Amino acid sequence: MIQFIGLRDEHGKIQKEIDTAIKKVIDSQYFILGEEGEKFEKEFAEYLDIKNVIGVGSGSDAIFLALLSLGIGPGDEVIVPSHTFVSSVDAVRHCGARPVFCDIDENTFCIDPKDIQGKISEKTKAIIPVHLYGYPAEMGQIMDIAKDSGIFVIEDACQAHGAEYKGKKVGTIGDIGCFSFYPAKNLGAYGDGGAVVTNNDEIAEKISKLRNYGQSKKYYSDFIGYNSRLDELQAAVLRVKLSHLDEWNENRSKAAGSYGQLLDGSSLIIPKEADDIFHAWHLYVIRHPKRDELQEYLNENGIETLIHYPVPVHMQKSYSDFDVDLPLTEKISQEILSLPMHPFLRDEEIETVCRKIKEWK
Ligand SMILES: *Cc1c(COP(=O)(O)O)cnc(C)c1O
């Protein structure tokens, strides 16, 4: 079987470093908001070139706490893509605001700036562009629109650790960036984890209280908060993995390059990369009108594939109270297929996948 992701390979490369890092935490018997977390926050901030990183419990919490920190709540609207993981939009509903869905750009799979403009109302407080599959959303136009309308931008960079838009790391361009360290992400913990990143010190302070019961110091609560911290074991793992992130993203990029070459001339629509971005290649997503047939055929041939995502958020049962037409989002959800992609995909594996695809059509 050609595996979709390669966590076992990743672990194999860093096993010794991980064992040492975990042992250190266990020996210290200090598990929440300690030295490892602080060091990871500092190192990730340096990596991204941003002032503040606040470790939280998950990517979902990062988005939710980001919205809360901006005072967004009931009566407010937040512009979101529907072609994303449901969690990007759930966060908006958790804080009581209303998501307003936008369609996507067919080439990048990210929110279409042209569709945002018409969906801004007096109630709009923020836009959440999602850098889906590791591809940076069109941040230049999105920031212009946000500035003109006086609204915030919260980047969902949960799939895009290390991706760059015009030389800047994604997550650092809007008012707030949100990352997930779910194990399968480009930078994954050995459990759940997330981070909020921002250059705004006031927002950073608010988030660090929100994640810790609203406390400014132990047992002094300034406002109603939550329990959402990145724990010491996860932070220790992430510190090890962060030092490999660029190399592993480079591997992904090479794999994507090979796919691109070998699939050229096939019947698939393959993903492209603009010159002024660095794609983090979290996923390699192709399109074909007979997607389901192709997936079944690849499965029969020992090639594992997934669909990200089969049902757009606005068409989920949990969103049945929403009635909106998003033609491209709906069309693309029927055609997309994610091929195996991870930093340790071997050349032979890529060749096999591409050969099988070419034999199919
Ligand atoms: C993974 C992911 C999230 C949620 O992150 P968790 O850590 O799983 O809560 C949010 N948005 C996108 C685009 C994601 O891929």
Side-chain angles (χ1 to χ4, degrees):
M1 192 80 186
I2 299 181
Q3 308 272 330
F4 187 76
I5 56 169
L7 290 182
R8 213 169 272 285
D9 296 317
E10 277 188 28
H11 182 65
K13 300 272 173 197
I14 56 174
Q15 188 162 3
K16 280 216 183 80
E17 288 174 86
I18 292 285
D19 288 349
T20 310
I22 287 179
K23 184 170 186 303
K24 196 173 149 208
V25 174
I26 292 176
D27 286 348
S28 80
Q29 285 296 300
Y30 201 96
F31 296 107
I32 306 286
L33 294 181
E35 206 175 288
E36 291 297 321
E38 267 175 34
K39 284 187 177 156
F40 172 70
E41 287 174 347
K42 195 162 157 275
E43 288 160 7
F44 197 43
E46 271 163 25
Y47 176 82
L48 294 174
D49 193 16
I50 196 157
K51 270 172 91 181
N52 306 285
V53 169
I54 305 102
V56 296
S58 68
S60 304
D61 280 2
I63 305 168
F64 172 59
L65 297 180
L67 287 159
L68 284 184
S69 76
L70 298 173
I72 294 171
D76 297 334
E77 291 178 356
V78 177
I79 290 177
V80 288
S82 176
H83 182 57
T84 180
F85 184 49
V86 69
S87 150
S88 320
V89 190
D90 282 354
V92 176
R93 300 187 83 187
H94 282 312
C95 74
R98 187 175 171 78
V100 175
F101 290 105
C102 272
D103 217 341
I104 50 168
D105 178 302
E106 199 168 359
N107 295 310
T108 67
F109 297 112
C110 294
I111 196 165
D112 183 357
K114 290 193 297 295
D115 198 29
I116 295 177
Q117 197 77 59
K119 295 199 165 154
I120 290 181
S121 78
E122 279 168 13
K123 295 179 182 167
T124 311
K125 287 284 152 52
I127 308 171
I128 303 183
V130 181
H131 306 297
L132 201 69
Y133 311 151
Y135 196 100
E138 192 37 73
M139 289 308 291
Q141 291 178 48
I142 293 170
M143 293 309 290
D144 285 347
I145 294 170
K147 220 169 265 166
D148 287 349
S149 322
I151 59 182
F152 295 108
V153 175
I154 300 172
E155 294 176 70
D156 179 342
C158 288
Q159 298 189 359
H161 318 69
E164 289 176 19
Y165 176 85
K166 297 189 177 168
K168 285 189 102 171
K169 291 269 191 315
V170 303
T172 69
I173 302 163
D175 298 282
I176 304 182
C178 299
F179 288 88
S180 163
F181 304 124
Y182 177 76
K185 309 286 172 155
N186 288 35
L187 179 59
Y190 284 12
D192 275 313
V196 178
V197 311
T198 180
N199 276 313
N200 183 315
D201 295 339
E202 230 172 283
I203 293 173
E205 200 191 318
K206 189 93 195 265
I207 300 275
S208 24
K209 291 181 188 174
L210 277 170
R211 72 168 173 181
N212 194 29
Y213 319 108
Q215 296 180 138
S216 48
K217 60 179 181 182
K218 215 172 173 68
Y219 308 134
Y220 290 83
S221 159
D222 293 352
F223 43 75
I224 305 294
Y226 300 83
N227 173 354
S228 180
R229 286 93 46 120
L230 180 69
D231 70 65
E232 290 289 282
L233 282 168
Q234 301 310 333
V237 167
L238 288 166
R239 289 186 67 206
V240 172
K241 283 195 150 187
L242 178 60
S243 67
H244 297 273
L245 178 59
D246 279 342
E247 181 196 330
W248 291 356
N249 276 346
E250 210 47 65
N251 288 359
R252 288 174 183 270
S253 189
K254 275 189 207 130
S258 305
Y259 269 136
Q261 270 175 6
L262 295 171
L263 290 174
D264 196 34
S266 73
S267 58
L268 310 183
I269 300 178
I270 58 172
K272 291 194 188 63
E273 195 175 0
D275 290 337
D276 53 1
I277 64 132
F278 180 78
H279 196 325
W281 293 109
H282 175 58
L283 296 169
Y284 190 87
V285 178
I286 60 90
R287 284 171 58 195
H288 197 282
K290 296 202 171 121
R291 186 266 318 275
D292 292 340
E293 274 176 46
L294 175 60
Q295 183 174 36
E296 202 183 310
Y297 162 84
L298 290 174
N299 189 39
E300 282 162 7
N301 283 277
I303 296 162
E304 191 185 7
T305 60
L306 292 171
I307 298 166
H308 299 89
Y309 296 91
V311 182
V313 178
H314 73 285
M315 294 169 81
Q316 296 281 353
K317 199 158 85 182
S318 49
Y319 285 78
S320 55
D321 48 334
F322 285 74
D323 184 17
V324 51
D325 285 329
L326 302 168
L328 281 174
T329 294
E330 288 164 32
K331 176 174 150 219
I332 274 170
S333 68
Q334 304 293 314
E335 299 183 348
I336 44 175
L337 186 67
S338 310
L339 301 183
M341 171 54 83
H342 60 82
F344 300 100
L345 206 54
R346 296 196 308 275
D347 290 344
E348 311 88 81
E349 292 179 311
I350 298 175
E351 281 156 21
T352 305
V353 174
C354 297
R355 182 166 38 83
K356 287 290 173 197
I357 288 173
K358 284 193 152 165
E359 282 169 12
W360 179 64
K361 289 266 151 118

